[in-house]
Amino acid sequence: MRGTTRTVAVAGVSALALLTAACSSSDNNSSSTTSGGSTSSGSSSGNPSAAAGGEISIAGCTPQNPFIPAMTNETCGGDMLEPVLARLVHYNSETAAPELDLAQSIETKDNQTFTVTLKKGQKFSDGTEVKAANFVKAWNWNRAGKNGTLNSYFFDVIDGAADMDCGLVKDKDGNEAPDCEKKPAKTEELSGLKVVDDYTFTIKTTEKVSNLLVRLGYSAFAPLPDSFFADNGKAYGKAPIGAGPYVMQSYDPATGAVLAKNPSYTGAFAGKVDKITFKIYQDTEAAYKDVMANATDMLAGLPDSALQGEKYKTDLPDRNAEKPTGVIQTITFAPEKVDPSLKNPDLRKAISMSIDRDTIIKTILANTRTAATGWVSPIVDGYKADQCGEYCKFDPAKAKEMFTTAGGYSGTLTLGYNADAPHKAWTEAVCNSVKESLGVECKATPYADFATFRTLITDRKMKGMFRTGWQMDYPSIENFLAPIYGTGAGSNDGDYSSAKFDGLLKEAAAAADPAAANAKYQEAEAQLAVDFPSIPMWYGKTIAGWSENVENVKITPFGTIDLLSVTKKA
Amino acid sequence: MTKYVIRRLLQMIPVVIGSTFLIFAMVFALPGDPLRGKCGERPCPPAFVAEFRAQHNLDDPLFLRYFKYLGDLLHGDLGTTYQGLNILDELQKRYVVTVKLAVIAMLFEALIGVLAGVLAGIRKGKFIDNLVLVTTLVVISIPTFVIGSVSQTVFGVKLHWFPVTVKSNPGWYDLLLPGLVLGSLSLAYAARLTRTNLAENLRADYVRTAVAKGLSRSRVIGVHTLRNSLIPVVTFLGADFGGLLGGAIITERIFNIRGVGGYIFQSIHSRDGTAVVGAVTMLVIVYLLMNLIVDLLYGVLDPRISHD
C-alpha cells in the first residue's frame, strides 16, 4: 500500500512575506498571484501551446473514509477530493509555496490574532457563495469532539480547542475513552474564531504561530457549504461540494470517481483538462501495465517489479519522473526511564554512523528513498542540508571507535517494527549493518500490527530502538520539529526534552520575520544533532509514470500528480 | 424428487446458520486492527476511535454482536463495511462480474477439457493422448499468476488483442482472457479425469456387449461409455464452479477485475469483519446450491442413482 497520511505542502515562501504581499496586492483575481516574490502560479505553469480540454485517467485506490475534508487523511480519498476543494491558501504545485486562493488577505500584527478577508463572489459548486461563516462553521464541526474526525488535531492551534473534547470515561476493561454521551464537551464552538462580517473573520491561536498561513492550505481547512450541516455531512460524504476547480460527477467504490471541470469556477487555479477519471486498482502492477498499454494515463507510485533495476525507465522512456516528498523515516530510542541502556548520545551517534544507508536504499528499497542528512525533509521551507553532519554518514571505523569510547553495549540491540507493512527487509539490513560495523548483536523485532506496535510505544513499554515515520501535515520545517521533539508533544515517542530546543521553538514561533523564524528552527534542529533523540534514516520519494496520451505531468511536493497542470496530447 | 429437493433445502438452514457463526467467530478473533491504514503513520485520535467502535458494535460481546447480525440478516441486511458502504449492494455489483467470469471459465474447461479427454481416451497411447498429457502437465505445473501475467503482457500489452485490465462494467469479450486463464488449470484436470475414466470404461463388459451387438462406434462411445464416465467429471466441475463463484483472487488482481474474490481479500486485509462474513455467507449458500445441482445431475447421467 502506498503512503498513508494526507499531507500538506511545503512553504516555498515564508508565511509573513506572504502576509505582507497579500496586503499590498489588491487584485488577486488575476491568474497569477504575487506572493513574496514567487512568480509562478498553479495554473500558469505548463506548456501554453498544448490544447486545453480532453479527458484523462489516473490510477487510484479505494478511499477509506467518506469524502469529508476533516475525515480524509489518506492518499486514496485525498487524491479524489483535492481538486474539488478550495481553501484560503493554495500550495504551489512545484514549490509548495502558499498562494492566496479564497482569501483576499490574511493579516496579523502579533502572530496570534489573524484577520482573514475573503474574496467576494467565490462560489461553491452548488451555487451558494463562500462566506466567512462557511469557514467558521466548518472548522467548529471539524474540531468538535462528538464528530470524532480524523483531522481534528489540525485545529488544536486555535484558541479554545481543548474545550471541544468530550470527557474521558473508563470502560469495563479500565481503558479510558472519550464518551460524548456521558461527558459532553464544554462547547461546540471554537472561542478563537469570530465572524466579523460576511467576508471577514478572525482567528486567535493558543500561542504565537509564525506559519499559520502554511497550515491553512490543508484540506481540513476547506470551507463547507450550508447544506453540509443539514445532515452532518452524510450526503456530502458521498458527493462532496467544494469551491475548487473540479466537481465530483460520480463515485463508485468498486470502479472509481469521475471529476469534471467546475463550470462556475472563477479562481486562479483552474485545471486544463475537462474530465479526470480515477480508476481504482487493487494492485499497482495492473495499473502499471495499463499505463504501458496507454489504457490509463497516469500512475504515482510504481510497483516493485517496475522499480527493480529501474525497468520503468525502459518501459516508459521520457514518461517518468521522481520527486522527494515530505516523509522521513527515523529510528527512535526508547525514553530513558523505559530503557536507560542507550541514553548516551555518543552511543546513538555511533549506531547511526554504523548504518550503510546508501547500500540499503539501493539494494533493498530499489532507490525509492533518499538518504537523510538531517531531521527535516528537503522539500520544506527552511530546510538546511547536512544538519546531522558526519553522524549520518557511513563510517564503520569511526563508529566502532566512538562506540568503544562511549562504553559499548552489552547484550542484544533490538529494533522494533510493525510486521503488517514492508519493514522487515530494511530493519534486518540495518541490524546487519550495525552488527558488522560495531560487532554488537542486533535483532530486528517484529510486532503483529501497527496498532499493537504503537500501543507499546505510547504506553512506554517498548525498549531499545524502534522505527518511526513522519509524514508532514503542512510544508514547514516547524512540522518536522515541534510535534515530534517538543517536550510533551503528541508524537514525541522518545520523550525527548531539551530546554534549549523548546526555547528555540518558542522564539521561532514569535519571530516577526520568516527568515528569522527559519534560522531559529534550524538552530533547534542543530540541537537534535547534539542530543540525538533519533536516527534519521531516509526521506520518501515518489516515482510516477504516464502514458503517451498526456503531457506536462508533474509531481507535487506531496507525492501526488499535479492534476491542474496535466494536458492531453493533441 | 421434489421431496428430496425440499429436504435438501431445509437442511441448508442449519448449515448456513452454523457456518456463519463459525466464520463470524473466527473473523473477529483474527488479530489486527480494523483502524489500520485509516490514520496513516500516526495513531487515530481517541474521539475517532470511540466513534468508530460504537458505530460498528466492536465493543459488544461476540454473541450479542452475532445475534444483532443474524437479526439484520433475516431482514436481508448484510450490514455496512467500515467505509460505510452497503455490503449487499457491493456484493451484487461484484457478483455480476464474477458470474460472467465463472461462466467463461466453466464453458472453456468443460467443452475443451472433455473434448481433449475423449480424444485422448479413445486413442490411448497414441500421439494425441501424449500431446494432451504433456500439455495438461505443463499447465498444472505453472502457477496461475505466471500464466496470468505472461498472457496479459503478451496478448494485452504487446499484441493488443485483449484489453490489459478489465474495465468497470465488463462485457463478455473483456473477460475472455482472464476467463481462459482462470479455466486453464481446471481444464487440465477435467481432461485427465475424462481420459482416465473413459479409457477404463471402454474395457468394461457392457461396452464389449454393446460392440458385440453391432452398435456404431460413435454410439458406443458417445452414449454408453461417455455418459457413465462423466460422473466424476461433473462432480469435479460442480465443485469447481462453486469455487469460481467464490471469486478468483489471483486472476482478479492481475486483471483488476472487481469480483467477489478481490472483495473478500480486501475485506480480510482491512479486518472488515462484517464484510467478510457477509461475502462468505453468500458463498456458503452458493456452494450448497451447487452441490444440490450436482447431486441432481447424477440422476440424469446414471438412472441407477435415484433421489426418490
Side-chain angles (χ1 to χ4, degrees):
Chain A
M1 190 184 282
R2 175 148 77 96
T4 36
T5 321
R6 269 310 285 164
T7 54
V8 195
V10 183
V13 178
S14 51
L16 226 105
L18 233 159
L19 294 182
T20 38
C23 307
S24 59
S25 154
S26 59
D27 180 18
N28 275 311
N29 286 321
S30 63
S31 71
S32 173
T33 322
T34 45
S35 44
S38 160
T39 49
S40 60
S41 93
S43 57
S44 62
S45 49
N47 181 356
S49 69
E55 297 178 9
I56 56 169
S57 58
I58 179 166
C61 44
T62 314
Q64 297 295 307
N65 298 296
F67 291 112
I68 294 174
M71 291 296 263
T72 300
N73 71 342
E74 39 81 48
T75 46
C76 301
D79 286 352
M80 296 176 190
L81 186 58
E82 182 67 27
V84 173
L85 301 178
R87 283 130 298 190
L88 293 173
V89 163
H90 175 269
Y91 295 121
N92 183 285
S93 56
E94 272 172 66
T95 63
E99 297 162 348
L100 292 178
D101 189 353
L102 292 175
Q104 178 78 37
S105 70
I106 301 172
E107 290 169 57
T108 184
K109 288 196 181 75
D110 57 358
N111 280 5
Q112 192 154 16
T113 310
F114 298 81
T115 306
V116 180
T117 312
L118 301 176
K119 284 177 194 161
K120 288 182 184 157
Q122 302 284 320
K123 287 202 169 80
F124 287 107
S125 57
D126 66 357
T128 55
E129 194 176 4
V130 182
K131 293 185 176 164
N134 292 108
F135 284 93
V136 173
K137 274 163 85 180
W139 298 0
N140 283 334
W141 192 92
N142 293 349
R143 185 59 185 81
K146 68 176 169 105
N147 296 326
T149 65
L150 283 172
N151 293 331
S152 57
Y153 64 92
F154 275 95
F155 301 89
D156 287 353
V157 69
I158 299 171
D159 206 28
D163 294 337
M164 308 276 279
D165 286 324
C166 298
L168 296 177
V169 173
K170 267 198 179 144
D171 66 10
K172 51 189 181 303
D173 304 326
N175 298 324
E176 286 202 320
D179 190 329
C180 293
E181 273 166 35
K182 287 185 192 133
K183 286 192 182 174
K186 275 187 211 149
T187 169
E188 283 174 13
E189 280 171 21
L190 289 159
S191 58
L193 296 178
K194 295 253 161 23
V195 176
V196 178
D197 60 43
D198 271 0
Y199 303 100
T200 319
F201 68 101
T202 57
I203 308 169
K204 185 167 181 285
T205 56
T206 49
E207 49 189 20
K208 285 184 189 298
V209 185
S210 56
N211 62 358
L212 186 75
L213 192 82
V214 184
R215 303 186 190 201
L216 292 179
Y218 187 69
S219 320
F221 288 98
L224 295 170
D226 295 336
S227 60
F228 177 93
F229 305 97
D231 63 350
N232 260 333
K234 284 237 153 52
Y236 187 100
K238 291 184 185 112
I241 298 161
Y246 286 89
V247 286
M248 193 174 285
Q249 234 175 18
S250 67
Y251 169 69
D252 180 322
T255 56
V258 179
L259 304 188
K261 227 174 186 170
N262 179 359
S264 58
Y265 184 73
T266 53
F269 307 100
K272 298 252 164 60
V273 293
D274 292 333
K275 204 164 153 188
I276 305 168
T277 305
F278 284 86
K279 290 189 192 172
I280 292 183
Y281 289 90
Q282 303 161 36
D283 191 0
T284 44
E285 186 74 48
Y288 182 72
K289 284 201 171 135
D290 259 351
V291 172
M292 275 167 72
N294 297 321
T296 291
D297 292 328
M298 296 167 293
L299 168 67
L302 302 183
D304 287 343
S305 63
L307 296 169
Q308 289 303 335
E310 302 197 323
K311 186 171 165 283
Y312 68 95
K313 289 193 174 162
T314 45
D315 286 343
L316 306 170
D318 305 322
R319 288 186 279 130
N320 61 77
E322 60 175 67
K323 186 159 183 161
T325 55
V327 177
I328 185 171
Q329 180 75 243
T330 46
I331 292 176
T332 300
F333 299 92
E336 198 183 318
K337 65 173 192 312
V338 182
D339 183 358
S341 61
L342 286 167
K343 66 172 182 184
N344 184 346
D346 281 350
L347 277 183
R348 300 174 169 199
K349 288 171 193 168
I351 294 173
S352 173
M353 281 162 85
S354 72
I355 301 169
D356 189 354
R357 293 174 179 75
D358 290 331
T359 308
I360 296 174
I361 289 173
K362 208 171 142 199
T363 54
I364 290 172
L365 299 168
N367 282 324
T368 53
R369 309 283 193 284
T370 315
T373 61
W375 286 263
V376 175
S377 163
I379 62 156
V380 302
D381 178 41
Y383 164 75
K384 188 176 167 197
D386 257 346
Q387 285 276 49
C388 179
E390 55 170 346
Y391 304 131
C392 286
K393 290 199 181 80
F394 179 53
D395 189 343
K398 205 159 175 202
K400 175 90 188 168
E401 190 195 318
M402 205 166 169
F403 191 69
T404 323
T405 325
Y409 185 87
S410 59
T412 306
L413 287 169
T414 53
L415 172 54
Y417 67 95
N418 50 311
D420 57 354
H423 297 300
K424 185 178 155 75
W426 74 259
T427 47
E428 284 181 350
V430 164
C431 259
N432 278 335
S433 202
V434 171
K435 216 189 294 185
E436 268 174 41
S437 315
L438 303 179
V440 61
E441 278 304 309
C442 177
K443 197 172 172 298
T445 320
Y447 292 87
D449 53 64
F450 191 61
T452 317
F453 179 68
R454 285 302 315 178
T455 308
L456 282 173
I457 294 172
T458 47
D459 292 351
R460 301 292 186 255
K461 284 180 185 147
M462 178 86 71
K463 295 191 172 193
M465 306 182 284
F466 47 87
R467 70 154 278 269
T468 38
W470 182 256
Q471 189 153 20
M472 65 178 182
D473 297 318
Y474 44 88
S476 164
I477 180 173
E478 180 265 349
N479 192 233
F480 282 87
L481 301 175
I484 320 174
Y485 303 108
T487 302
S491 296
N492 191 342
D493 296 329
D495 280 346
Y496 174 69
S497 178
S498 154
K500 194 175 168 199
F501 181 85
D502 291 343
L504 286 164
L505 288 189
K506 240 199 170 98
E507 285 175 42
D513 161 15
N518 284 343
K520 287 289 172 196
Y521 282 126
Q522 285 164 2
E523 239 181 275
E525 191 190 357
Q527 184 61 30
L528 296 182
V530 176
D531 300 331
F532 237 76
S534 68
I535 303 175
M537 294 302 295
W538 36 69
Y539 309 120
K541 186 155 100 176
T542 290
I543 303 180
W546 55 92
S547 75
E548 285 166 347
N549 303 327
V550 289
E551 290 178 305
N552 299 315
V553 183
K554 283 178 211 137
I555 306 175
T556 66
F558 316 106
T560 59
I561 286 172
D562 177 22
L563 293 170
L564 301 184
S565 69
V566 183
T567 52
K568 185 102 184 164
K569 224 177 215 172
Chain B
M1 180 80 170
T2 324
K3 240 165 115 186
Y4 173 78
V5 173
I6 292 171
R7 204 173 67 226
R8 285 285 297 265
L9 287 175
L10 285 176
Q11 279 171 356
M12 284 181 192
I13 296 171
V15 175
V16 169
I17 294 179
S19 52
T20 45
F21 178 70
L22 277 180
I23 297 155
F24 198 86
M26 286 191 290
V27 166
F28 285 102
L30 276 179
D33 181 9
L35 289 162
R36 186 167 65 95
K38 287 227 169 206
C39 309
E41 277 281 352
R42 70 182 77 238
C44 291
F48 176 75
V49 177
E51 169 81 23
F52 184 85
R53 296 193 73 89
Q55 200 184 341
H56 296 284
N57 303 327
L58 289 179
D59 292 322
D60 292 341
L62 181 69
F63 277 100
L64 182 62
R65 268 158 71 195
Y66 179 65
F67 283 116
K68 276 186 187 173
Y69 181 79
L70 212 58
D72 290 341
L73 190 65
L74 289 177
H75 294 105
D77 178 8
L78 286 178
T80 53
T81 65
Y82 287 161
Q83 289 148 27
L85 305 168
N86 186 312
I87 293 172
L88 191 64
D89 287 353
E90 291 299 297
L91 279 175
Q92 276 169 350
K93 268 187 257 170
R94 286 174 163 85
Y95 252 107
V96 176
V97 181
T98 292
V99 167
K100 268 188 193 172
L101 188 66
V103 167
I104 293 175
M106 199 65 216
L107 284 177
F108 178 58
E109 65 187 67
L111 295 180
I112 312 285
V114 171
L115 186 71
V118 170
L119 287 176
I122 54 180
R123 295 204 169 75
K124 210 177 135 208
K126 303 274 171 48
F127 171 75
I128 186 92
D129 185 23
N130 287 322
L131 183 74
V132 169
L133 284 180
V134 170
T135 27
T136 52
L137 188 69
V138 169
V139 172
I140 289 170
S141 50
I142 301 177
T144 316
F145 69 86
V146 176
I147 303 182
S149 314
V150 169
S151 53
Q152 182 188 37
T153 309
V154 174
F155 300 115
V157 179
K158 300 262 188 267
L159 296 174
H160 302 293
W161 290 357
F162 295 97
V164 180
T165 59
V166 172
K167 60 177 189 237
S168 47
N169 286 314
W172 292 99
Y173 181 72
D174 295 304
L175 290 167
L176 189 57
L177 184 63
L180 298 187
V181 168
L182 194 59
S184 59
L185 183 66
S186 304
L187 180 146
Y189 286 119
R192 289 184 152 225
L193 265 177
T194 314
R195 173 195 173 273
T196 318
N197 275 294
L198 192 71
E200 194 170 310
N201 284 338
L202 278 174
R203 287 202 306 262
D205 289 346
Y206 69 89
V207 175
R208 201 172 48 202
T209 312
V211 175
K213 277 202 307 193
L215 294 182
S216 71
R217 186 173 156 78
S218 61
R219 194 164 166 79
V220 170
I221 293 171
V223 180
H224 291 256
T225 327
L226 185 61
R227 209 168 120 177
N228 231 345
S229 311
L230 279 182
I231 289 182
V233 181
V234 167
T235 314
F236 170 74
L237 290 180
D240 197 49
F241 193 60
L244 288 175
L245 288 180
I249 294 175
I250 296 171
T251 315
E252 284 182 14
R253 263 185 98 85
I254 294 174
F255 293 97
N256 201 41
I257 302 168
R258 288 96 183 159
V260 176
Y263 186 70
I264 295 176
F265 177 80
Q266 250 178 20
S267 307
I268 293 176
H269 194 72
S270 56
R271 298 284 180 270
D272 196 337
T274 328
V276 179
V277 178
V280 176
T281 305
M282 202 87 127
L283 291 191
V284 171
I285 296 172
V286 167
Y287 232 91
L288 289 173
L289 288 177
M290 274 321 296
N291 258 321
L292 178 62
I293 293 172
V294 168
D295 283 349
L296 294 178
L297 273 179
Y298 285 165
V300 177
L301 288 171
D302 187 346
R304 284 174 300 179
I305 303 173
S306 155
H307 294 301
D308 291 321

